[in-house]
Amino acid sequence: MIVEFVPAELRCEYLADPLGIDIACPRLSWVLQSAQRGQRQTAYQVLVASSEHILQRGEGDLWDTGKVISSDSAHIAYNGLELRSGQRCWWQVRVWDRHGVRSAYSPAAWWEMGLLEASDWRGTWISYDTKRKEAGLPAELETHDDASGLIPSPYLRTTFSTAQPIRRARLCITARGLYEARLNGQRLGNAVLAPGWTDYAVRIQYQVYDVGHLLRHGKNALGVILGTGWYSGCVGFDGRANHYGSRPQLLAQLHIEHDDGTAQIVATDGSWRATTGPILFSDLLMGETFDARLARPAWDTATYDDSAWMPVELAERDTTRLVACRSEPVQITEELAPRAIARLDADTHIVDMGQNIVGWVRLRMRGMAGTRVRVRFGEVLAADATLYTDNLRSARATDTYILAGTGEEIFEPRFTFHGFRYVEVAGYPGDLSADAVRGCVVGSAVPQAGTFECSDPMVNQLQRNIVWSQRGNFLSIPTDCPQRDERLGWLGDAQVFARTACCNQGVAPFFTNWLADVASGQSPDGAFADIAPLLRIDLGQDVSVGSGTPAWGDAGVIVPWTLYQCYGDTRIIAEHYESMARWIAYIQGANADNLWINRRGNDFGDWLALDGATPSELFKSATPRELLASAYYAHDVYLMARMARAIGRLDEAIEYEALFRASRAAFIKAFVDPDGRLLVETQTGYLLALGFDLLPSDLRTRAAARLVDLIKEKDNHLSTGFIGIGYLLPVLTEAGYLDLAYRILLNRTYPSWGYSISHGATTIWERWDGWTADAGFQAATMNSFNHYSLGSVGEWLFRYVAGIDVDPDHPGYQHVIIRPHPGGGLTYARAEYRSIHGTIVSMWRLAGNELTLHVTIPPNTTATVHLPVNDVSAVTDGATPIARSADVEMLPQTSERVVISPLQVKLIAKCAEVQAAAGSSSAKEGMTTSSHSFKAATTTC
Ligand code: BGC
């Protein structure tokens, strides 16, 4: 039931009740619900109080905005009394509706500040030198080799007493490496692989846990297991370890407040004790070996005797910034039961999880002490039904469990993850049954935002594959792939996929966090690196990770722009504005004539396109590198102009606008002949020229026609790589070739998304030819089956097929564009998107020549609805002719728009054109040329 027009879903910095915010003026948002069409907010009042009690009295002792005449309901920046470390802020909001009627206050929400000053941290970094010999440890521990990064996981603990009643207690904790924290035998929180990956030389995230309920009167024990993780384990290419340091370290601080107002702090210091235990090593790429015989039962409880443990080593804190975790932690987000289990031979089972996932398996077993169970992971099977692991390169991806022989044992690794659909289990004692195996799906716990479905099962599978690749590769940072050695935050992949990512999940905090590493990875002369976070030992070495690469470095501009568009977030622009401007200046510094010809970094081009000169040169796409670079440069400049305007830097906006015009002219002069033909014709060349609006209008039609010719020459197939693919279907649609766009979408023959799906893909492949019937697997040196880049078609499904889009002039879906594009023989499509203003739905159904469109937009928003019809007089809003609908405003025909007021609208149109267009291939018959538009106000139901 909807409570009439009361603000709900209160968020602070996009998060619900976040613990640990270190932003001085956090931003507040809410959504509105209403059953009335056209309902909107005309004013709001926010109260922020220092206690729940004060808030309940209707007072905001920290901040009371009073009645603010405004329709804003997102990104309201806190502007009250200065907040101190650890302060909890309770808040609520009420609004006034379009008739000036005041709502009740929302339920209370809160956020809590983290540690704002470096001096708030009392402890020192502590670590344990696992090279020390300890009596009774097995040979594996004594032969470990530091350079490999494969070291036993340190166990660290301390005890402390509390004598007085406790009001509250918070543990602030982080690691150089990974940690799992335990208090009095209980694991803290659900996060795994914490504190997450950042450039540890620059900033390290910490998490805050509310632990008051776990503390006991008397003696308590705090214990932490450390892993090497991204800090000192194997990361990137060739299994190289120790990128940021050589040994994991812990920094923790437990702050206890007693009822009488006194405080007690327990921090990492020389009193902690350390040892190693059953985790012989646990490495992100290599896997984990766990010898259960070495378990230390109850090691994390107060009564445990740690007298045989060793003292820890101390390291003074340096100036590395400690920052509160800005986004959702990595967690187990789902558990899957196996689809099938086959016995390969007497010793080996192959488990099919039915889905290519990222994470690990949890195994249940019973057996003799010392029994070794080895678990290996692969994305696909070889022709002989054995596990295919060649494409993992140096990543061993092997977990080993050595049984203690104590009855039922459960193994689940701690500081590793794998990319896999198939699991090879060797040495399992007995028959492996399905209920003994669980696939743990691991990734950043970002909320789902969008769903898409339509009448074509193959397209629905494509959408699922995109989402699974996003879930697997959005793991602390956006990675390229989850299975082989590498797993890096490649900027190119992130920028091509960012918009699709926003359609599927609420990724604003996730990208905001990652962008801090993009910015800190920028070179002093302004070049964005190819990856973020940087790998410190690679810097200055001759490795393929560089900087200043066209379409990769540009992520530094495109990702903030995308967040601005999808969330209306201007703070992200302001925070990154200088760094973006330096990137533009970096390109300008080495180039004349407003082109990007010189200094092009790694110059990957249209990575993995299929139009290279020879099959062995598959990286070498035919699209000229100068064209690609210059197109991106012009596009960046265009986005800079828009972003400068959005944050009120008008003089610079005007300069960038002029620069864009000059770049466009230079592009045309350098790469386009007078007939609108590119001097070197490729699909991606045309897609960039059209997608970035680099051609004059009189040449656009001809350029689009040439693009279509090139596609037809390939028998209506694509040939683009990472860079072109995201623009392919949008550009064709905008140019009036909707039917061809659908045709490419629905292809099942090679190369296409459908080809991979026909051959069992459950995630997006890195390469169109990852596996082909003719050639089998692509070269194992680079062949991931879980790379999201080619899944950037997802945004077309939302924005064009279902038709939910942002109005670039009203970012953040404050004014929504609904522009469905029925076609391709689909009989229905439906997308739902949880925007920062509330839920938007666009659903169309085609029956004969009748198109029914259901639209829902949240209160306090409006939408422009474009209908693919010629004759608006036949359109009804429910039973009412559209022209007479109270909440629908017909826009002039020339504007091709209609604006509806919010809420649920059901538009029915008789439109023969839709049917015709479904099978047609010419621009003339395309629907976008004949659309009518309406404007409507919000509704709810
Ligand atoms: C990665 C890509 C990345 C590329 C650079 C590859 O190894 O997997 O996704 O963008 O290198 O071209």
Side-chain angles (χ1 to χ4, degrees), residues 237 393 480-481 484 486 490-493 552 604 607 722 766 782 787 789:
F237 300 104
R393 303 196 302 219
D480 57 338
C481 57
R484 66 181 179 222
E486 194 156 355
W490 287 98
L491 269 69
D493 307 41
W552 268 252
F604 296 125
W607 187 244
F722 278 22
E766 177 176 27
M782 210 184 75
H787 242 72
S789 303

Side-chain angles (χ1 to χ4, degrees), residues 451-499:
T451 54
F452 172 88
E453 61 169 312
C454 68
S455 54
D456 187 303
M458 196 274 283
V459 178
N460 293 339
Q461 182 65 42
L462 171 61
Q463 168 64 14
R464 279 196 291 278
N465 291 3
I466 295 168
V467 171
W468 274 106
S469 282
Q470 179 167 346
R471 288 177 65 184
N473 281 299
F474 277 31
L475 193 155
S476 185
I477 61 149
T479 61
D480 57 338
C481 57
Q483 71 298 86
R484 66 181 179 222
D485 62 4
E486 194 156 355
R487 313 187 191 181
L488 300 174
W490 287 98
L491 269 69
D493 307 41
Q495 70 88 359
V496 299
F497 189 70
R499 185 64 189 265

